[in-house]
Amino acid sequence: MKDFIKKLKYPLHCEHCEGISEVEDPRHHPSYEITNECNLDCIFCYSRIAKAKGLPKSGYYGDLKPKAITISQFGEPLLAGEGEVLRIVKALREMFGEIRLDLQTNGVLLTPKICEEFEIVMISLDAGSRESYYKITKRDFFERVVENVKMSSGITHTTIRTVFMPGINDRELKKIAEIASVADELFLQPVSIYKENKELIEKIDLERAESIGEFLRVSMELSEIAELRIPGCFLLNLNRTLKNYSIEEIMLFTRNAFAEFPEISREWRFRI
Ligand code: SF4
């Protein structure tokens, strides 16, 4: 296990994020927010809570010398339409020059033209079957998203983002990894639980969701199938912890899966 952790690479998306540097109180790299609306209704999502609060307002959040910008951290950006997303992409490139643009999407409305314009396309996929996709998202788009994973993987660096939710999707993770094996990365994230997401709290196996050992064991298993990555900031902290604790001790560690609402700490600057 220790060797597995040592060999793990940072996800490409995490490059240029303060989360993988030694700064105090790191912030996520800049984002351009388009909407907090979504065409899915995922049981774990913080955008649902954001929408109820009317947050965040659209526009650019972050410093004015970015190396990478995510479109977007909240909501489903492609709901704005292909033309509008391409207009924003063009304007950001004109304004900032050499930047990496990362798209964060549920993949339902993805098109080849959109994929061509982003250095990284990150597609959320938390189920390995149509039935389970429906249970998690309340929508019937599983096959369409799987097709779009293949399409995007043939065009640009494609990352499949999966939230580890024991009791909900753990039996499907291998199937998700098989789907992600055509992509460049499978990014497995520990779940964050918000008190407003009542259905998630009812269904999740909290003990396993909070176990570091469980997360690492599953990550190692999936790495046999796809190019596995874990959040860069999580990996940085694991490597730091390994300097003071044995891997056997770390496997017994737990994390608090309950999280506060993720407000954007970066400054709002402008809307294009
Ligand atoms: S996972 Fe962590 S390091 Fe990676 S982009 Fe997000 S905050 Fe930054």
Side-chain angles (χ1 to χ4, degrees):
M1 179 58 78
K2 197 173 171 182
D3 285 349
F4 165 69
I5 296 169
K6 288 277 169 210
K7 281 184 193 150
L8 265 178
K9 294 181 190 152
Y10 287 126
L12 188 57
H13 170 63
C14 298
E15 282 182 18
H16 305 307
C17 178
E18 288 182 359
I20 58 167
S21 64
E22 297 295 336
V23 300
E24 286 267 316
D25 202 11
R27 293 170 313 159
H28 191 271
H29 45 51
S31 71
Y32 191 93
E33 301 301 323
I34 296 182
T35 176
N36 49 32
E37 296 288 330
C38 191
N39 46 354
L40 304 185
D41 190 14
C42 300
I43 59 172
F44 58 86
C45 187
Y46 57 76
S47 279
R48 297 201 308 180
I49 307 161
K51 197 175 145 194
K53 294 188 180 199
L55 294 168
K57 66 174 177 176
S58 61
Y60 179 83
Y61 290 79
D63 73 71
L64 296 173
K65 286 189 182 163
K67 292 198 167 117
I69 302 171
T70 304
I71 298 179
S72 56
Q73 215 181 319
F74 288 78
E76 172 48 48
L78 300 183
L79 277 183
E82 185 186 80
E84 174 64 358
V85 174
L86 295 181
R87 182 188 71 78
I88 291 168
V89 164
K90 190 165 177 267
L92 289 173
R93 291 201 193 278
E94 276 170 11
M95 194 173 286
F96 294 124
E98 281 278 303
I99 43 167
R100 193 190 74 219
L101 289 181
D102 302 352
L103 176 69
Q104 193 158 280
T105 173
N106 58 36
V108 174
L109 299 171
L110 205 53
T111 64
K113 243 185 180 171
I114 292 276
C115 295
E116 281 161 17
E117 292 301 324
F118 284 87
E119 279 75 21
I120 306 179
V121 169
M122 295 180 284
I123 302 173
S124 298
L125 183 65
D126 301 288
S129 67
R130 189 176 170 192
E131 297 68 35
S132 161
Y133 186 91
Y134 188 84
K135 279 188 197 150
I136 292 171
T137 69
K138 314 285 190 290
R139 302 288 186 274
D140 190 14
F141 292 132
F142 176 71
E143 270 112 18
R144 199 202 287 198
V145 174
V146 172
E147 281 311 306
N148 284 342
V149 166
K150 292 182 203 154
M151 181 269 290
S152 178
S153 302
I155 298 175
T156 190
H157 185 101
T158 300
T159 298
I160 307 310
R161 284 183 85 130
T162 302
V163 178
F164 175 52
M165 294 180 280
I168 296 174
N169 70 351
D170 46 331
R171 293 204 180 138
E172 306 231 326
L173 290 172
K174 284 191 177 168
K175 283 193 208 154
I176 298 172
E178 278 160 23
I179 295 164
S181 65
V182 300
D184 298 274
E185 296 178 350
L186 169 61
F187 184 117
L188 189 70
Q189 279 181 262
V191 67
S192 294
I193 304 172
Y194 305 97
K195 62 181 188 321
E196 290 88 346
N197 286 344
K198 303 251 178 327
E199 192 186 344
L200 176 65
I201 296 171
E202 271 167 28
K203 292 184 175 164
I204 201 147
D205 178 340
L206 188 60
E207 201 177 314
R208 289 172 59 217
E210 295 196 323
S211 159
I212 299 291
E214 191 73 14
F215 181 73
L216 290 175
R217 262 189 295 274
V218 169
S219 299
M220 198 157 104
E221 258 179 56
L222 299 184
S223 73
E224 304 284 324
I225 308 170
E227 270 299 315
L228 194 279
R229 303 286 184 271
I230 61 175
C233 37
F234 188 94
L235 180 57
L236 181 87
N237 283 321
L238 259 182
N239 279 317
R240 274 185 190 146
T241 313
L242 268 171
K243 289 182 185 148
N244 298 313
Y245 295 89
S246 71
I247 187 62
E248 289 75 21
E249 287 169 307
I250 290 173
M251 295 297 279
L252 297 174
F253 284 1
T254 56
R255 55 184 274 275
N256 177 10
F258 284 87
E260 294 296 321
F261 174 70
E263 289 189 55
I264 300 180
S265 56
R266 287 159 278 123
E267 198 180 331
W268 183 91
R269 302 286 189 161
F270 57 83
R271 185 179 297 149
I272 294 170

